[in-house]
Amino acid sequence: MESQLLELEHSIGYNGKYQCTVHYHPFDKDNIIYNIGGLLVIENIQDKHQQQFLRGHDMEISAITISNSGQLIATGQLGTIFQKLPDAPVILWNYDRKEPVAVLKGMQVCVKKLAFSPDDRFLAALGENNAFIIWDTRDGSAIHTRVFEFPLHVVSWGDIMHDQNPKHPSYTLVTANQTNVFINSLEFDIGSMQYFLKQGAVQLPNTGLIRNYTFSSINGDSLLLGTSGGEVCIFSVYSRIYRATMPISSNGLMAIAQIDDNIIVGGGDGKVKKLNIGGGKWSLTHEAQLDSKIMSITVSADKKELMVGSSGGKLYRMLVADLSFMLHTDAHTGSINDLVFGNRSDQFMAIDENGAVKLWDLSEYKSIFTANTIKNSRGSSCFVAKDDGSLVTGWRDGFIRAYETSGRVLWEIANAHRGAVSSLYCDANYILSGGEDGAVRVWARTTRKLLIQFNDQKRDIVTLIPDLQKPYQIHSCSMDRSISTYDLKLEKRVNGHQTKNGALFGMSQRRDSELELVTCGQGSPIYFWDCDQAGPVAEIMYPYKVLTIQVSPSGKFIAFGTETNEVFVYSLDGLNNFTFLGKGLGHSGPVTKVKWSPDEKQIISVSTDSSISVWNFYGAA
């Protein structure tokens, strides 16, 4: 866990990839439960500063369910990449104690669906490897395991029957594949003292019913199955027959909530629809249009409010009565490739692989604006200009674009580089850009004309910074393992260093000592370079790839992020005196960037898993 000096204050990052991964707690009315990558988050919707984090998964969480009693949570993940087999464990959590009760094995590749029996006794799961497993939650034993030839799409529990054997009741369990709907019975066999699953098929129309089912919902005798074609298919559980099909959406249905005589469904077209189904008649009463495909709908404990999650990384609070809504959470949906602070400690900018540029406010943990460029444009780098605070961004199509803080495009430099613009710096004197093509270019600040370019380096320029003492000298770090220092007055390279192996991924500059440059990489630990010496003058050892590094504003500390998803902080005291202060695990993907806030009280880290972690740092006091 993090040390006392480094504390995970907040995490931002619902990405809307998987169905039903947002849930209101059935009794703690203000708490929602969702995942950010591999972290399970319990958040108070009235106060975003109140977040609790449950760690246990080594990959992204793909399925979440909560038991009716609210005592148990089950989470399943993507298959791990850290072992030979892509095992996808399911973790059973105790809600009150906020700790894991059991780790359930048997799934591989990805856990698709999870469902608790109404009495919390059993947990059913469907996996990407066509596995269907039922566990006993009391001891974690698997009471039913079967791998099908064709994948099952949905799993839901129906009523519990106590009449035959009150001590060992029988359970109804619905599953479905593309061609069949099964209403199964889980019954206790006294002879073997075990539960067995008896499969029972639903009587379908003579013509058959071939559908890709997306969700299932049972209310007494009524079974509703949503389809990728945008319909709801209705079945009788007790009679095991097909009743009807209702077309509702043009672009597939992904989520459902049932409240009394109303159902609320979310579609692939971003629409949330409320239908009254009382008395057998279906009538549309309300409709709301959101930003993108609806992936989750969950009902609050008092049944007055919904939390709706979209594939665009947004969570909306919505009133059941009329479907009026407000945005609760916004997030990045692609790998976050860069982030930067301006002069303010409460705002930073981030850019992601899906082309979203967001300005984030740390006081409320929300994005003040999002700028999306043309479609299919992917973001690679960003910088807040030192002079006017404009937001300068670099793109994989070689463009540099600047935005006002309102989100309006100020200017752009077309084809600034061949391939991605991988590093940027901008102040009153000039705009510096480094590219995937290895070129370092200097542009006039006002006219944006190309003034000078250097082509010494052969691969991506990962960091480009002016010298702290001599701003007319700039330092460039490349993935080709070289560091170059250029003098803009002389228009030539005046110094350089080279590591022996691996690659360099990031660079910063010390503010004390001899103002050494600090680099991080693969096969090269963290090296400190003095302009007067060819080789590194000091190092911090770390066995894996270090992808990003930054010296703190006071120069007393250094933070770095790793491929093992961690953030580390060391103190710098003299040339060779480094003290480990703490590390934190907040992401479930490699840390792509870490940045200090100007007041040195916080560190922001971002990751390939689209999440943002806000760390409180107590070492500066």
Side-chain angles (χ1 to χ4, degrees):
M1 295 294 287
E2 311 95 73
S3 80
Q4 297 297 303
L5 296 178
L6 195 64
E7 168 195 71
L8 184 56
E9 154 74 13
H10 195 83
S11 191
I12 304 168
Y14 169 75
N15 63 21
K17 267 193 210 173
Y18 305 98
Q19 283 177 273
C20 303
T21 49
V22 183
H23 296 269
Y24 267 106
H25 191 272
F27 299 109
D28 272 0
K29 66 181 177 62
D30 289 337
N31 278 1
I32 57 166
I33 295 158
Y34 66 104
N35 72 298
I36 297 177
L39 269 187
L40 188 64
V41 183
I42 300 168
E43 181 180 301
N44 185 308
I45 58 167
Q46 309 299 346
D47 180 5
K48 281 196 186 177
H49 292 262
Q50 281 189 41
Q51 277 187 329
Q52 292 171 287
F53 306 106
L54 306 188
R55 289 190 184 87
H57 291 282
D58 63 0
M59 298 289 288
E60 196 166 55
I61 291 171
S62 56
I64 301 173
T65 190
I66 302 175
S67 67
N68 284 351
S69 70
Q71 293 296 311
L72 294 173
I73 305 171
T75 53
Q77 67 168 59
L78 287 182
T80 183
I81 56 170
F82 302 105
Q83 298 166 11
K84 279 188 178 171
L85 290 173
D87 286 333
V90 172
I91 299 181
L92 209 55
W93 306 87
N94 179 295
Y95 177 77
D96 291 336
R97 296 201 305 270
K98 310 290 187 285
E99 61 185 36
V101 183
V103 178
L104 310 173
K105 299 288 180 69
M107 292 285 163
Q108 289 192 341
V109 187
C110 175
V111 179
K112 292 194 300 185
K113 294 276 197 304
L114 291 168
F116 280 107
S117 61
D119 60 359
D120 297 14
R121 170 77 190 274
F122 298 109
L123 175 68
L126 302 180
E128 195 68 55
N129 58 335
N130 295 357
F132 171 38
I133 302 178
I134 303 170
W135 292 282
D136 189 325
T137 59
R138 295 183 304 184
D139 59 7
S141 61
I143 62 157
H144 175 84
T145 302
R146 186 170 170 190
V147 178
F148 286 84
E149 186 183 352
F150 301 106
L152 292 174
H153 296 153
V154 294
V155 59
S156 276
W157 295 83
D159 291 340
I160 303 175
M161 309 293 179
H162 291 275
D163 47 355
Q164 299 281 327
N165 183 344
K167 196 175 176 190
H168 300 288
S170 57
Y171 298 77
T172 307
L173 186 60
V174 174
T175 55
N177 60 22
Q178 201 169 12
T179 52
N180 289 294
V181 177
F182 303 102
I183 294 180
N184 311 294
S185 175
L186 187 65
E187 297 177 1
F188 190 75
D189 176 64
I190 293 175
S192 62
M193 296 298 286
Q194 283 180 316
Y195 270 96
F196 287 97
L197 193 71
K198 286 187 181 173
Q199 192 170 27
V202 164
Q203 189 181 335
L204 297 175
N206 295 334
T207 52
L209 191 70
I210 297 174
R211 296 288 189 275
N212 282 321
Y213 296 112
T214 52
F215 62 70
S216 52
S217 177
I218 298 178
N219 190 356
D221 180 42
S222 170
L223 165 65
L224 306 180
L225 297 181
T227 75
S228 59
E231 311 146 315
V232 170
C233 297
I234 308 153
F235 303 86
S236 161
V237 176
Y238 305 149
S239 312
R240 295 188 179 177
I241 56 170
Y242 161 76
R243 286 257 169 88
T245 294
M246 298 293 294
I248 290 177
S249 165
S250 59
N251 208 6
L253 291 176
M254 301 302 287
I256 188 170
Q258 261 186 284
I259 305 167
D260 304 324
D261 281 345
N262 296 297
I263 64 164
I264 293 151
V265 290
D269 54 4
K271 284 182 177 163
V272 178
K273 295 183 178 181
K274 180 180 175 184
L275 299 108
N276 186 288
I277 59 172
K281 290 183 178 175
W282 288 48
S283 56
L284 179 66
T285 60
H286 296 85
E287 188 176 303
Q289 178 70 56
L290 302 184
D291 68 294
S292 55
K293 184 191 288 187
I294 309 301
M295 297 302 285
S296 288
I297 298 178
T298 178
V299 187
S300 62
D302 60 10
K303 298 190 175 178
K304 290 181 179 174
E305 204 171 302
L306 305 166
M307 187 67 75
V308 181
S310 76
S311 63
K314 292 179 168 59
L315 289 176
Y316 297 90
R317 289 178 68 176
M318 187 177 278
L319 290 177
V320 170
D322 60 1
L323 300 194
S324 58
F325 61 87
M326 61 180 270
L327 183 64
H328 174 70
T329 295
D330 190 4
H332 289 272
T333 57
S335 169
I336 305 175
N337 292 330
D338 203 2
L339 88 131
V340 66
F341 276 94
N343 296 322
R344 296 177 57 164
S345 291
D346 61 344
Q347 285 184 7
F348 66 92
M349 171 170 63
I351 189 166
D352 72 32
E353 192 66 30
N354 289 348
V357 181
K358 291 182 187 287
L359 188 65
W360 290 93
D361 183 310
L362 281 172
S363 56
E364 294 186 35
Y365 301 118
K366 68 177 188 182
S367 68
I368 299 166
F369 86 87
T370 300
N372 282 298
T373 58
I374 46 170
K375 276 198 170 147
N376 304 326
S377 193
R378 296 173 298 147
S380 51
S381 56
C382 60
F383 196 81
V384 176
K386 298 279 189 192
D387 51 350
D388 63 0
S390 58
L391 312 173
V392 186
T393 59
W395 299 82
R396 293 209 185 277
D397 60 7
F399 278 60
I400 300 173
R401 298 181 177 94
Y403 300 88
E404 286 183 320
T405 48
S406 65
R408 189 175 71 87
V409 177
L410 278 173
W411 51 262
E412 68 176 28
I413 302 173
N415 305 314
H417 288 270
R418 285 195 319 279
V421 179
S422 52
S423 188
L424 284 169
Y425 178 88
C426 182
D427 63 17
N429 302 319
Y430 43 53
I431 302 162
L432 307 176
S433 68
E436 198 177 25
D437 52 7
V440 172
R441 298 199 164 122
V442 185
W443 311 83
R445 178 66 176 99
T446 46
T447 62
R448 295 175 292 285
K449 294 267 190 302
L450 181 62
L451 301 176
I452 314 168
Q453 65 174 332
F454 303 102
N455 292 303
D456 304 85
Q457 292 166 303
K458 300 293 174 271
R459 289 191 61 196
D460 312 41
I461 306 298
V462 291
T463 311
L464 196 54
I465 48 175
D467 187 78
L468 289 171
Q469 220 166 33
K470 307 169 185 168
Y472 56 86
Q473 286 193 351
I474 58 174
H475 304 292
S476 163
C477 177
S478 165
M479 281 176 87
D480 69 3
R481 309 196 303 274
S482 70
I483 306 156
S484 293
T485 300
Y486 301 104
D487 191 306
L488 301 185
K489 291 181 179 175
L490 304 174
E491 294 191 17
K492 69 174 189 180
R493 183 172 184 260
V494 292
N495 206 330
H497 302 282
Q498 184 90 27
T499 64
K500 291 188 174 66
N501 52 21
L504 294 178
F505 296 129
M507 177 176 70
S508 189
Q509 188 177 13
R510 289 188 70 160
R511 293 175 176 275
D512 61 350
S513 195
E514 297 287 314
L515 301 176
E516 293 95 355
L517 296 172
V518 191
T519 60
C520 65
Q522 171 189 12
S524 329
I526 294 160
Y527 283 142
F528 294 77
W529 305 87
D530 189 304
C531 60
D532 301 327
Q533 297 191 40
V537 292
E539 63 182 46
I540 298 173
M541 294 301 292
Y542 185 74
Y544 304 104
K545 284 184 196 172
V546 179
L547 303 176
T548 173
I549 195 161
Q550 196 189 29
V551 175
S552 71
S554 70
K556 293 177 183 173
F557 309 100
I558 195 164
F560 61 88
T562 71
E563 67 167 344
T564 53
N565 318 344
E566 293 172 304
V567 173
F568 286 78
V569 181
Y570 280 75
S571 69
L572 302 175
D573 185 16
L575 180 57
N576 236 327
N577 201 358
F578 314 120
T579 308
F580 168 74
L581 296 181
K583 70 173 180 174
L585 182 61
H587 301 283
S588 54
V591 178
T592 49
K593 282 285 184 294
V594 294
K595 289 288 162 73
W596 291 87
S597 62
D599 63 8
E600 215 171 80
K601 289 179 180 173
Q602 291 186 310
I603 299 168
I604 309 292
S605 60
V606 295
S607 166
T608 57
D609 71 0
S610 320
S611 69
I612 299 171
S613 290
V614 181
W615 304 91
N616 286 338
F617 178 65
Y618 300 112

